[in-house]
Amino acid sequence: GAVVSQHPSWVICKSGTSVKIECRSLDFQATTMFWYRQFPKQSLMLMATSNEGSKATYEQGVEKDKFLINHASLTLSTLTVTSAHPEDSSFYICSARASGRTPYNEQFFGPGTRLTVL
Amino acid sequence: GESVGLHLPTLSVQEGDNSIINCAYSNSASDYFIWYKQESGKGPQFIIDIRSNMDKRQGQRVTVLLNKTVKHLSLQIAATQPGDSAVYFCAESVTGGGNKLTFGTGTQLKVEL
């Protein structure tokens, strides 16, 4: 149980285009999902917290107009990188916190999406 | 801001030996800690967690130790196997703090045959 999927697993796009990444909790409901970015040989950096039915909360330094997050249902959150540029190339990982599953902050991670902007 | 850090960026061990990966954290309010394993090109995989009301927790071949006095966390892997080769991250969280995780810098574990 507690499986999180991401789609696509990798994507290559041209500079200036927008890319949408989906994060789904397959066997549980997630009121909260998180989006991370990871550059090569670096740690995961939290970008934003996505709550179902409300606006996402972005971490300091993350442009909310560039990284659009939508959490329309209890099993799906999407991250759209708008007007992507080469510096946005990274590994994007989502995680989901199961509603009422544990009293603590256990998160289940997706497999990640590799974005390459040419 | 608050951060979680690791002492060793790379750790090489012989197959069969025990591995110890260390982590220092700075947020004294953190009360939940997790170790993750990340293989190349994949998302983090949960290994073991520990809450601040404990100082030791054991799993299958893994043990996590928590020393709140010096804000130190360690992951011990017994009888390290080639399949254990990966990057290991510690993460900390504050209950009620928006459920956010702060990740450490990571340690690359290399298992030599």
Side-chain angles (χ1 to χ4, degrees), chain A residues 32 34 36 38 41-46 49 59 91 93 97 102-112 114, chain B residues 31-32 34 36 38 41-44 46 49 51 53 89 93-101 103-106:
Chain A
T32 305
F34 303 87
Y36 296 84
Q38 185 180 32
K41 299 190 184 300
Q42 294 189 24
S43 188
L44 282 75
M45 297 299 296
L46 180 65
T49 302
E59 295 299 300
F91 194 49
I93 306 170
R97 182 175 183 271
T102 67
Y104 288 88
N105 304 329
E106 184 177 6
Q107 296 180 21
F108 303 96
F109 283 83
R114 174 75 59 193
Chain B
D31 59 1
Y32 181 56
I34 312 123
Y36 289 97
Q38 186 180 30
K42 297 183 178 179
F46 174 92
D49 61 357
R51 296 155 191 165
N53 60 350
F89 293 97
S93 179
V94 178
T95 301
N99 303 317
K100 295 194 291 186
L101 291 175
F103 280 80
T105 54

Side-chain angles (χ1 to χ4, degrees), chain B residues 34-79:
Chain B
I34 312 123
W35 280 102
Y36 289 97
K37 173 186 180 182
Q38 186 180 30
E39 297 175 314
S40 181
K42 297 183 178 179
Q45 176 187 354
F46 174 92
I47 300 174
I48 192 168
D49 61 357
I50 188 168
R51 296 155 191 165
S52 60
N53 60 350
M54 304 171 68
D55 54 19
K56 180 179 180 179
R57 189 162 189 233
Q58 290 184 292
Q60 187 176 10
R61 282 202 306 120
V62 294
T63 301
V64 55
L65 299 177
L66 174 63
N67 185 331
K68 296 183 289 295
T69 302
V70 295
K71 300 191 187 69
H72 185 267
L73 195 66
S74 69
L75 175 69
Q76 301 178 6
I77 304 174

Side-chain angles (χ1 to χ4, degrees), chain A residues 3 5-6 16 19 23 35-36 55 57 61 72 96 99 108 112 115 118:
Chain A
V3 178
S5 70
Q6 284 185 238
V19 175
C23 177
W35 287 96
Y36 296 84
K55 292 184 178 180
T57 303
S99 306
F108 303 96
L115 171 62
L118 303 177

